[in-house]
Coordinates of all heavy atoms in Angstrom, one line a residue:
M1 N -12.8 54.1 -49.1 CA -11.6 53.6 -49.7 C -11.5 52.1 -49.4 O -11.9 51.6 -48.4 CB -10.3 54.3 -49.3 CG -10.0 54.3 -47.8 SD -8.6 55.2 -47.3 CE -7.3 54.2 -48.0
Y2 N -10.8 51.4 -50.3 CA -10.7 50.0 -50.2 C -9.4 49.5 -50.9 O -9.1 49.9 -52.0 CB -11.9 49.3 -50.9 CG -11.9 47.8 -50.9 CD1 -12.4 47.1 -49.8 CD2 -11.4 47.1 -52.0 CE1 -12.3 45.7 -49.9 CE2 -11.3 45.7 -52.0 CZ -11.8 45.0 -50.9 OH -11.8 43.7 -51.0
V3 N -8.7 48.7 -50.2 CA -7.5 48.0 -50.7 C -7.8 46.5 -50.7 O -8.1 45.9 -49.6 CB -6.2 48.3 -49.9 CG1 -5.0 47.5 -50.4 CG2 -5.9 49.8 -49.9
P4 N -7.7 45.8 -51.8 CA -8.0 44.4 -51.8 C -7.1 43.6 -50.8 O -5.9 44.0 -50.7 CB -7.6 43.9 -53.3 CG -7.8 45.2 -54.1 CD -7.3 46.3 -53.2
P5 N -7.6 42.6 -50.2 CA -6.9 42.0 -49.1 C -5.4 41.6 -49.4 O -4.5 41.7 -48.6 CB -7.8 40.7 -48.8 CG -9.1 41.2 -49.1 CD -9.0 42.1 -50.3
R6 N -5.2 41.1 -50.6 CA -3.9 40.6 -50.9 C -2.8 41.7 -51.0 O -1.6 41.5 -51.1 CB -3.9 39.7 -52.2 CG -4.2 40.4 -53.5 CD -4.3 39.4 -54.6 NE -4.5 40.0 -55.9 CZ -5.6 40.5 -56.4 NH1 -6.7 40.4 -55.6 NH2 -5.7 41.1 -57.6
F7 N -3.3 43.0 -51.1 CA -2.4 44.1 -51.2 C -2.3 44.9 -50.0 O -1.7 46.0 -49.9 CB -2.8 45.0 -52.4 CG -2.7 44.3 -53.7 CD1 -3.9 44.1 -54.5 CD2 -1.5 43.8 -54.2 CE1 -3.8 43.5 -55.7 CE2 -1.5 43.2 -55.5 CZ -2.6 43.0 -56.2
R8 N -3.0 44.5 -48.9 CA -3.0 45.2 -47.6 C -1.6 45.2 -46.9 O -0.9 44.2 -47.1 CB -4.1 44.8 -46.7 CG -5.5 45.2 -47.3 CD -6.6 44.8 -46.4 NE -7.9 45.0 -47.2 CZ -9.0 44.5 -46.9 NH1 -9.2 43.8 -45.8 NH2 -10.1 44.8 -47.6
G9 N -1.4 46.2 -46.1 CA -0.1 46.2 -45.3 C 1.1 46.6 -46.1 O 2.2 46.4 -45.6
L10 N 0.9 47.0 -47.3 CA 2.0 47.4 -48.2 C 2.2 48.9 -48.3 O 3.0 49.4 -49.1 CB 1.8 46.8 -49.6 CG 1.7 45.3 -49.7 CD1 1.4 44.9 -51.1 CD2 3.0 44.7 -49.2
G11 N 1.3 49.7 -47.6 CA 1.4 51.1 -47.7 C 0.6 51.8 -48.7 O 0.6 53.0 -48.9
L12 N -0.3 51.0 -49.4 CA -1.1 51.6 -50.5 C -2.2 52.5 -49.9 O -2.5 53.6 -50.4 CB -1.8 50.5 -51.3 CG -0.8 49.7 -52.1 CD1 -1.5 48.5 -52.8 CD2 0.0 50.5 -53.1
G13 N -2.8 52.1 -48.8 CA -3.8 52.9 -48.1 C -3.3 54.2 -47.7 O -3.9 55.3 -47.9
R14 N -2.1 54.2 -47.1 CA -1.5 55.4 -46.6 C -1.2 56.3 -47.8 O -1.4 57.6 -47.8 CB -0.2 55.1 -45.9 CG 0.5 56.4 -45.3 CD 1.8 56.0 -44.6 NE 1.6 55.1 -43.5 CZ 1.1 55.5 -42.3 NH1 0.7 56.7 -42.1 NH2 1.0 54.6 -41.3
Q15 N -0.7 55.8 -48.9 CA -0.4 56.6 -50.1 C -1.7 57.2 -50.7 O -1.7 58.4 -51.1 CB 0.2 55.7 -51.2 CG 1.6 55.4 -51.0 CD 2.2 54.6 -52.2 OE1 2.1 55.0 -53.4 NE2 2.8 53.4 -52.0
L16 N -2.8 56.5 -50.6 CA -4.1 57.0 -51.1 C -4.6 58.2 -50.2 O -5.0 59.2 -50.8 CB -5.2 55.9 -51.1 CG -6.5 56.3 -51.7 CD1 -6.4 56.8 -53.1 CD2 -7.4 55.0 -51.8
V17 N -4.5 58.0 -48.9 CA -4.9 59.1 -48.0 C -4.0 60.3 -48.2 O -4.4 61.5 -48.3 CB -4.9 58.7 -46.6 CG1 -5.2 59.8 -45.6 CG2 -6.0 57.6 -46.3
A18 N -2.7 60.1 -48.3 CA -1.7 61.2 -48.5 C -2.0 61.9 -49.8 O -1.9 63.1 -49.9 CB -0.3 60.6 -48.5
A19 N -2.3 61.2 -50.9 CA -2.6 61.8 -52.2 C -3.9 62.7 -52.1 O -3.9 63.8 -52.6 CB -2.8 60.7 -53.2
A20 N -4.9 62.2 -51.3 CA -6.1 62.9 -51.2 C -5.9 64.2 -50.4 O -6.4 65.3 -50.8 CB -7.2 62.1 -50.5
L21 N -5.1 64.1 -49.4 CA -4.7 65.3 -48.6 C -3.9 66.3 -49.4 O -4.1 67.5 -49.3 CB -4.0 64.9 -47.3 CG -4.9 64.2 -46.2 CD1 -4.1 63.7 -45.1 CD2 -6.0 65.1 -45.8
E22 N -3.0 65.8 -50.2 CA -2.1 66.6 -51.0 C -3.0 67.4 -52.0 O -2.8 68.5 -52.3 CB -1.1 65.7 -51.7 CG 0.0 66.5 -52.4 CD 1.0 65.6 -53.1 OE1 1.3 64.5 -52.6 OE2 1.4 65.9 -54.2
F23 N -3.9 66.7 -52.6 CA -4.8 67.3 -53.6 C -5.6 68.4 -52.9 O -5.8 69.5 -53.4 CB -5.8 66.2 -54.2 CG -6.8 66.8 -55.1 CD1 -6.4 67.3 -56.4 CD2 -8.1 67.0 -54.8 CE1 -7.3 67.8 -57.3 CE2 -9.0 67.5 -55.7 CZ -8.6 67.9 -56.9
A24 N -6.2 68.1 -51.7 CA -6.9 69.1 -51.0 C -6.1 70.3 -50.7 O -6.5 71.5 -50.8 CB -7.5 68.5 -49.7
R25 N -4.8 70.1 -50.3 CA -3.9 71.2 -49.9 C -3.6 72.1 -51.2 O -3.3 73.2 -51.1 CB -2.6 70.7 -49.3 CG -2.8 70.2 -47.9 CD -1.4 70.0 -47.2 NE -1.7 69.5 -45.9 CZ -1.7 68.2 -45.5 NH1 -1.3 67.3 -46.4 NH2 -1.9 67.9 -44.2
S26 N -3.7 71.5 -52.4 CA -3.4 72.2 -53.6 C -4.5 73.0 -54.1 O -4.3 73.8 -55.0 CB -3.0 71.2 -54.7 OG -4.1 70.5 -55.2
R27 N -5.7 72.9 -53.5 CA -6.9 73.6 -53.9 C -7.1 74.8 -53.0 O -7.2 74.6 -51.8 CB -8.1 72.7 -53.9 CG -8.0 71.4 -54.7 CD -8.2 71.7 -56.2 NE -9.5 72.3 -56.4 CZ -10.4 71.7 -57.2 NH1 -10.2 70.7 -57.9 NH2 -11.6 72.3 -57.4
A28 N -7.2 76.0 -53.6 CA -7.4 77.2 -52.9 C -8.8 77.1 -52.1 O -9.7 76.7 -52.7 CB -7.4 78.4 -53.8
G29 N -8.8 77.5 -50.9 CA -10.0 77.7 -50.1 C -10.4 76.4 -49.3 O -11.3 76.5 -48.5
I30 N -9.7 75.3 -49.6 CA -10.1 74.1 -48.8 C -9.3 74.2 -47.5 O -8.1 74.3 -47.4 CB -9.7 72.8 -49.5 CG1 -10.6 72.7 -50.8 CG2 -10.0 71.6 -48.6 CD1 -10.5 71.4 -51.6
K31 N -10.1 74.1 -46.4 CA -9.5 74.3 -45.1 C -9.4 73.0 -44.3 O -8.4 72.8 -43.6 CB -10.3 75.3 -44.2 CG -10.4 76.7 -44.9 CD -10.9 77.7 -44.1 CE -10.9 79.1 -44.7 NZ -9.6 79.5 -45.3
I32 N -10.4 72.1 -44.4 CA -10.3 70.9 -43.6 C -10.9 69.8 -44.5 O -11.6 70.0 -45.5 CB -11.1 70.9 -42.3 CG1 -12.6 71.1 -42.5 CG2 -10.6 72.1 -41.4 CD1 -13.4 70.9 -41.3
V33 N -10.5 68.5 -44.2 CA -11.1 67.3 -44.8 C -11.7 66.5 -43.7 O -11.1 66.4 -42.6 CB -10.0 66.5 -45.5 CG1 -10.6 65.2 -46.0 CG2 -9.3 67.3 -46.6
Q34 N -12.9 66.1 -43.9 CA -13.6 65.3 -42.9 C -13.9 63.9 -43.5 O -14.0 63.7 -44.7 CB -15.0 65.9 -42.6 CG -14.9 67.2 -41.9 CD -16.3 67.7 -41.4 OE1 -17.3 67.2 -41.8 NE2 -16.3 68.8 -40.7
L35 N -14.0 62.9 -42.6 CA -14.4 61.5 -43.0 C -15.0 60.9 -41.9 O -15.0 61.3 -40.7 CB -13.2 60.8 -43.5 CG -12.0 60.5 -42.6 CD1 -12.2 59.5 -41.6 CD2 -10.7 60.2 -43.5
T36 N -15.7 59.7 -42.2 CA -16.2 58.9 -41.1 C -15.7 57.5 -41.3 O -15.3 57.1 -42.4 CB -17.8 58.8 -41.1 OG1 -18.2 58.2 -42.3 CG2 -18.4 60.2 -41.0
V37 N -15.6 56.8 -40.2 CA -15.1 55.4 -40.2 C -16.0 54.6 -39.2 O -16.4 55.1 -38.1 CB -13.6 55.3 -39.8 CG1 -13.3 55.9 -38.5 CG2 -13.2 53.8 -39.9
T38 N -16.4 53.4 -39.6 CA -17.3 52.6 -38.7 C -16.5 52.3 -37.4 O -15.4 51.9 -37.5 CB -17.6 51.3 -39.5 OG1 -18.3 51.6 -40.7 CG2 -18.5 50.4 -38.6
R39 N -17.2 52.5 -36.3 CA -16.6 52.3 -35.0 C -16.2 50.8 -35.0 O -17.0 49.9 -35.3 CB -17.6 52.6 -33.9 CG -16.9 52.6 -32.6 CD -17.9 53.1 -31.5 NE -17.3 53.9 -30.5 CZ -18.0 54.4 -29.5 NH1 -19.3 54.3 -29.4 NH2 -17.4 55.1 -28.6
G40 N -15.0 50.5 -34.6 CA -14.5 49.1 -34.5 C -13.6 48.8 -35.7 O -13.0 47.7 -35.6
N41 N -13.6 49.6 -36.7 CA -12.7 49.3 -37.8 C -11.3 49.8 -37.5 O -10.9 50.9 -37.9 CB -13.2 50.0 -39.1 CG -12.4 49.6 -40.4 OD1 -11.4 49.1 -40.3 ND2 -13.0 50.0 -41.5
A42 N -10.6 49.0 -36.7 CA -9.3 49.4 -36.1 C -8.3 49.8 -37.1 O -7.5 50.8 -36.9 CB -8.8 48.4 -35.1
S43 N -8.2 49.0 -38.2 CA -7.1 49.3 -39.2 C -7.3 50.6 -39.9 O -6.4 51.4 -40.0 CB -7.0 48.1 -40.2 OG -8.2 47.8 -40.8
A44 N -8.6 50.9 -40.3 CA -8.8 52.1 -41.0 C -8.7 53.3 -40.0 O -8.1 54.3 -40.4 CB -10.2 52.1 -41.6
E45 N -9.2 53.2 -38.8 CA -9.1 54.3 -37.9 C -7.6 54.6 -37.6 O -7.2 55.7 -37.5 CB -9.8 53.9 -36.6 CG -10.1 55.2 -35.8 CD -11.0 55.0 -34.6 OE1 -11.9 54.1 -34.7 OE2 -10.9 55.7 -33.6
A46 N -6.8 53.5 -37.4 CA -5.3 53.7 -37.1 C -4.7 54.5 -38.3 O -3.9 55.4 -38.1 CB -4.7 52.4 -36.9
L47 N -5.1 54.1 -39.5 CA -4.5 54.7 -40.7 C -4.9 56.2 -40.7 O -4.0 57.1 -40.9 CB -5.1 54.0 -42.0 CG -4.9 54.8 -43.3 CD1 -3.4 55.0 -43.6 CD2 -5.6 54.0 -44.4
Y48 N -6.1 56.5 -40.5 CA -6.6 57.9 -40.6 C -5.9 58.7 -39.5 O -5.4 59.8 -39.7 CB -8.1 58.0 -40.5 CG -8.8 57.3 -41.6 CD1 -10.0 56.6 -41.3 CD2 -8.3 57.3 -42.9 CE1 -10.7 56.0 -42.3 CE2 -9.0 56.6 -43.9 CZ -10.2 56.0 -43.6 OH -10.8 55.3 -44.6
R49 N -5.8 58.2 -38.3 CA -5.2 58.9 -37.2 C -3.7 59.2 -37.5 O -3.2 60.2 -37.2 CB -5.4 58.2 -35.8 CG -6.8 58.3 -35.3 CD -6.9 57.6 -34.0 NE -8.3 57.4 -33.5 CZ -9.0 58.4 -32.9 NH1 -8.4 59.5 -32.6 NH2 -10.2 58.2 -32.5
S50 N -3.1 58.2 -38.0 CA -1.6 58.3 -38.3 C -1.4 59.3 -39.4 O -0.2 59.8 -39.6 CB -1.0 57.0 -38.6 OG -1.4 56.5 -39.9
C51 N -2.4 59.6 -40.2 CA -2.3 60.6 -41.3 C -2.7 62.0 -40.8 O -2.7 62.9 -41.6 CB -3.1 60.2 -42.5 SG -2.5 58.8 -43.4
G52 N -3.0 62.1 -39.5 CA -3.3 63.5 -39.0 C -4.8 63.7 -38.7 O -5.1 64.8 -38.3
F53 N -5.6 62.8 -38.9 CA -7.0 63.0 -38.6 C -7.3 62.9 -37.1 O -6.7 62.1 -36.4 CB -7.9 62.0 -39.4 CG -8.1 62.3 -40.8 CD1 -7.1 61.9 -41.8 CD2 -9.2 63.0 -41.3 CE1 -7.3 62.2 -43.1 CE2 -9.3 63.3 -42.6 CZ -8.4 62.9 -43.5
V54 N -8.2 63.7 -36.6 CA -8.5 63.8 -35.2 C -10.0 63.6 -35.1 O -10.8 64.2 -35.8 CB -8.1 65.2 -34.7 CG1 -8.5 65.3 -33.2 CG2 -6.6 65.4 -34.8
E55 N -10.4 62.8 -34.1 CA -11.9 62.6 -33.8 C -12.6 63.8 -33.3 O -12.0 64.5 -32.4 CB -12.0 61.4 -32.8 CG -13.4 61.1 -32.5 CD -13.5 59.9 -31.5 OE1 -12.6 59.1 -31.4 OE2 -14.5 59.9 -30.7
F56 N -13.8 64.0 -33.8 CA -14.6 65.1 -33.2 C -16.0 64.7 -32.8 O -16.8 65.5 -32.3 CB -14.7 66.4 -34.1 CG -15.4 66.2 -35.4 CD1 -16.8 66.5 -35.5 CD2 -14.7 65.8 -36.5 CE1 -17.4 66.3 -36.7 CE2 -15.4 65.6 -37.7 CZ -16.8 65.9 -37.8
G57 N -16.2 63.4 -32.9 CA -17.5 62.9 -32.4 C -17.9 61.5 -32.9 O -17.2 61.0 -33.8
V58 N -18.9 60.9 -32.3 CA -19.3 59.6 -32.7 C -20.8 59.7 -32.9 O -21.6 60.2 -32.1 CB -19.1 58.5 -31.6 CG1 -19.6 57.2 -32.1 CG2 -17.6 58.4 -31.4
E59 N -21.2 59.3 -34.1 CA -22.7 59.2 -34.5 C -23.2 57.8 -34.1 O -22.9 56.9 -34.8 CB -22.8 59.5 -36.0 CG -24.2 59.6 -36.4 CD -24.3 59.9 -37.9 OE1 -23.3 60.2 -38.6 OE2 -25.5 59.9 -38.4
P60 N -24.0 57.7 -33.1 CA -24.5 56.4 -32.7 C -25.5 55.9 -33.7 O -26.3 56.6 -34.3 CB -25.2 56.7 -31.3 CG -25.5 58.1 -31.3 CD -24.6 58.8 -32.3
L61 N -25.5 54.6 -33.9 CA -26.4 53.9 -34.8 C -26.6 54.6 -36.1 O -27.7 54.8 -36.6 CB -27.8 53.8 -34.1 CG -27.8 53.2 -32.6 CD1 -29.2 53.2 -32.1 CD2 -27.2 51.8 -32.6
A62 N -25.4 54.9 -36.7 CA -25.4 55.7 -37.9 C -26.0 55.0 -39.2 O -26.5 55.6 -40.1 CB -24.0 56.3 -38.2
A63 N -25.8 53.7 -39.2 CA -26.2 53.0 -40.4 C -26.7 51.6 -40.0 O -26.2 50.9 -39.1 CB -25.0 52.8 -41.4
A64 N -27.8 51.2 -40.7 CA -28.3 49.9 -40.5 C -27.5 48.9 -41.3 O -27.3 49.1 -42.5 CB -29.8 49.9 -40.9
V65 N -27.0 47.9 -40.7 CA -26.3 46.8 -41.4 C -26.8 45.5 -41.0 O -26.8 45.1 -39.8 CB -24.7 46.9 -41.0 CG1 -24.0 45.8 -41.7 CG2 -24.2 48.2 -41.4
G66 N -27.4 44.7 -41.9 CA -28.0 43.5 -41.6 C -29.2 43.7 -40.6 O -30.0 44.6 -40.8
S67 N -29.1 43.0 -39.5 CA -30.2 43.1 -38.5 C -29.8 44.1 -37.4 O -30.6 44.3 -36.5 CB -30.5 41.8 -38.0 OG -29.4 41.2 -37.4
G68 N -28.6 44.7 -37.5 CA -28.2 45.6 -36.5 C -27.8 47.0 -37.0 O -28.2 47.4 -38.1
Y69 N -27.0 47.7 -36.2 CA -26.6 49.1 -36.5 C -25.1 49.2 -36.2 O -24.6 48.5 -35.4 CB -27.4 50.1 -35.7 CG -28.9 50.1 -36.0 CD1 -29.7 49.3 -35.4 CD2 -29.4 50.9 -37.0 CE1 -31.1 49.3 -35.6 CE2 -30.7 50.9 -37.3 CZ -31.6 50.1 -36.6 OH -32.9 50.1 -36.9
V70 N -24.5 50.1 -37.0 CA -23.1 50.5 -36.6 C -23.0 52.0 -36.3 O -23.8 52.8 -36.9 CB -22.1 50.1 -37.8 CG1 -22.1 48.6 -38.0 CG2 -22.5 50.9 -39.1
S71 N -22.1 52.4 -35.5 CA -21.8 53.8 -35.2 C -20.7 54.3 -36.1 O -19.8 53.5 -36.5 CB -21.5 54.0 -33.7 OG -22.6 53.6 -32.9
K72 N -20.7 55.6 -36.3 CA -19.6 56.2 -37.2 C -18.8 57.2 -36.4 O -19.4 58.1 -35.7 CB -20.3 56.9 -38.4 CG -20.9 56.0 -39.4 CD -19.9 55.2 -40.2 CE -20.6 54.4 -41.3 NZ -19.6 53.6 -42.1
V73 N -17.5 57.0 -36.4 CA -16.6 57.9 -35.8 C -16.3 59.0 -36.8 O -16.0 58.7 -38.0 CB -15.3 57.2 -35.4 CG1 -14.3 58.3 -34.7 CG2 -15.6 56.1 -34.5
H74 N -16.5 60.3 -36.4 CA -16.2 61.4 -37.3 C -14.8 62.0 -37.0 O -14.5 62.2 -35.9 CB -17.3 62.5 -37.1 CG -18.6 62.1 -37.6 ND1 -19.2 62.8 -38.7 CD2 -19.5 61.2 -37.2 CE1 -20.4 62.2 -38.9 NE2 -20.6 61.3 -38.1
L75 N -14.0 62.2 -38.1 CA -12.7 62.7 -37.9 C -12.4 63.8 -38.9 O -13.1 63.9 -39.9 CB -11.6 61.6 -38.2 CG -11.7 60.3 -37.4 CD1 -11.8 59.1 -38.2 CD2 -10.6 60.2 -36.4
W76 N -11.5 64.7 -38.5 CA -11.2 65.8 -39.4 C -9.7 66.0 -39.4 O -9.0 65.6 -38.5 CB -11.9 67.1 -39.0 CG -11.4 67.8 -37.8 CD1 -11.5 67.3 -36.5 CD2 -10.6 69.0 -37.7 NE1 -10.9 68.2 -35.6 CE2 -10.3 69.2 -36.3 CE3 -10.2 69.9 -38.6 CZ2 -9.6 70.4 -35.9 CZ3 -9.4 71.0 -38.2 CH2 -9.2 71.2 -36.9
C77 N -9.2 66.6 -40.5 CA -7.8 67.0 -40.7 C -7.7 68.3 -41.3 O -8.3 68.6 -42.3 CB -7.1 65.9 -41.6 SG -5.4 66.2 -41.8
D78 N -6.9 69.2 -40.7 CA -6.8 70.5 -41.3 C -5.7 70.5 -42.4 O -4.7 69.8 -42.3 CB -6.4 71.6 -40.2 CG -5.0 71.3 -39.7 OD1 -4.9 70.3 -38.9 OD2 -4.1 72.1 -39.9
V79 N -6.0 71.1 -43.5 CA -5.1 71.2 -44.6 C -4.7 72.6 -44.9 O -4.1 72.9 -46.0 CB -5.7 70.5 -45.9 CG1 -5.9 69.0 -45.7 CG2 -7.1 71.2 -46.3
D80 N -5.1 73.5 -44.0 CA -4.7 74.9 -44.2 C -4.0 75.3 -42.9 O -4.7 75.3 -41.8 CB -6.0 75.8 -44.4 CG -5.7 77.2 -44.5 OD1 -4.6 77.7 -44.1 OD2 -6.6 78.0 -45.0
P81 N -2.7 75.7 -42.9 CA -2.0 76.1 -41.7 C -2.7 77.1 -40.8 O -2.6 77.2 -39.6 CB -0.7 76.6 -42.2 CG -0.5 76.0 -43.6 CD -1.9 75.9 -44.1
A82 N -3.5 77.9 -41.5 CA -4.2 79.0 -40.7 C -5.4 78.5 -39.9 O -5.8 79.2 -39.0 CB -4.7 80.1 -41.7
V83 N -5.8 77.3 -40.2 CA -7.0 76.8 -39.4 C -6.7 76.6 -37.9 O -7.5 77.1 -37.1 CB -7.5 75.4 -40.0 CG1 -8.5 74.8 -39.1 CG2 -8.1 75.7 -41.4
K84 N -5.6 76.0 -37.6 CA -5.3 75.7 -36.2 C -5.2 77.0 -35.4 O -5.7 77.1 -34.3 CB -4.0 75.0 -36.0 CG -4.2 73.5 -36.2 CD -3.4 72.7 -35.3 CE -3.7 71.2 -35.3 NZ -3.1 70.5 -36.4
S85 N -4.6 78.1 -36.0 CA -4.5 79.3 -35.2 C -5.8 80.0 -35.1 O -6.0 80.9 -34.2 CB -3.5 80.2 -35.9 OG -3.9 80.5 -37.2
A86 N -6.8 79.7 -35.9 CA -8.1 80.3 -35.8 C -9.0 79.6 -34.8 O -10.1 80.1 -34.5 CB -8.8 80.3 -37.2
L87 N -8.6 78.4 -34.3 CA -9.4 77.6 -33.4 C -9.5 78.3 -32.0 O -8.4 78.7 -31.6 CB -8.9 76.2 -33.3 CG -9.2 75.2 -34.4 CD1 -8.4 73.9 -34.2 CD2 -10.6 74.9 -34.6
P88 N -10.6 78.3 -31.4 CA -10.6 78.8 -30.0 C -9.8 77.9 -29.1 O -9.7 76.7 -29.3 CB -12.1 78.7 -29.6 CG -12.8 77.8 -30.6 CD -11.9 77.8 -31.8
T89 N -9.1 78.5 -28.1 CA -8.3 77.7 -27.2 C -9.0 77.1 -26.1 O -8.5 76.2 -25.4 CB -7.1 78.7 -26.7 OG1 -7.8 79.8 -26.1 CG2 -6.2 79.1 -27.7
S90 N -10.2 77.5 -25.8 CA -10.9 76.9 -24.7 C -12.2 76.2 -25.2 O -12.6 76.3 -26.3 CB -11.3 77.9 -23.6 OG -12.1 78.9 -24.2
Ligands
LIG101 C1 -8.1 50.3 -44.2 C2 -7.4 49.9 -45.4 C3 -7.8 50.8 -46.6 C4 -5.9 50.1 -45.2 O1 -5.2 49.8 -46.4 P1 -3.6 49.3 -46.4 O2 -3.1 49.5 -47.8 O3 -3.6 47.9 -45.9 O4 -2.9 50.3 -45.3 P2 -1.4 50.6 -45.2 O5 -0.6 49.4 -45.6 O6 -1.1 51.8 -46.0 O7 -1.2 50.9 -43.7 C5 -1.2 52.2 -43.2 C6 -1.6 52.2 -41.7 O8 -2.9 51.7 -41.5 C7 -2.9 51.1 -40.2 N1 -3.2 49.6 -40.4 C8 -3.3 49.0 -41.6 N2 -3.6 47.7 -41.4 C9 -3.8 47.6 -40.1 C10 -4.2 46.4 -39.3 N3 -4.4 45.2 -39.8 N4 -4.2 46.7 -37.9 C11 -4.0 47.9 -37.4 N5 -3.6 49.0 -38.1 C12 -3.5 48.8 -39.5 C13 -1.6 51.2 -39.6 O9 -1.6 52.5 -38.9 C14 -0.7 51.4 -40.8 O10 0.5 52.1 -40.6 P3 1.9 51.3 -40.2 O11 2.1 50.3 -41.4 O12 2.9 52.3 -40.2 O13 1.6 50.6 -38.9 C15 -7.6 48.4 -45.8 O14 -7.4 47.6 -44.7 C16 -9.0 48.2 -46.4 O15 -9.3 48.3 -47.6 N6 -10.0 47.7 -45.5 C17 -11.3 47.4 -45.9 C18 -12.1 48.6 -46.4 C19 -12.2 49.7 -45.3 O16 -12.4 49.4 -44.1 N7 -12.0 50.9 -45.7 C20 -12.1 52.1 -44.8 C21 -13.5 52.6 -44.8 S1 -13.7 54.0 -43.7

């Protein structure tokens, strides 16, 4: 997802994530939504976490960028109330 710089900080990114989650919740059988964010992208990571996404791992050196590599943080959000109760407690 991308919001042009001049429109950032206005709540558009949050609306887009909320709309995607609302769409997922409206579809029968969808239990979770997953995404990745480049490690160090603080604004995107803060947005996703504030929308209910939780980290479940980091993929090291996930993508080659220029002469180096970036890692990807993997996050998930449950969109089915039954999912949390099905998770193991330990
Ligand atoms: C990440 C991005 C989509 C956010 O869009 P946005 O419209 O500016 O976001 P919003 O105004 O809806 O902000 C929602 C939340 O994001 C977080 N956030 C947004 N900008 C932030 C910043 N500069 N620093 C820290 N957190 C930030 C905050 O948690 C914010 O909630 P708050 O306003 O209650 O504090 C936008 O910065 C962007 O397009 N970045 C470049 C592309 C990119 O990195 N995409 C993500 C790829 S995984």
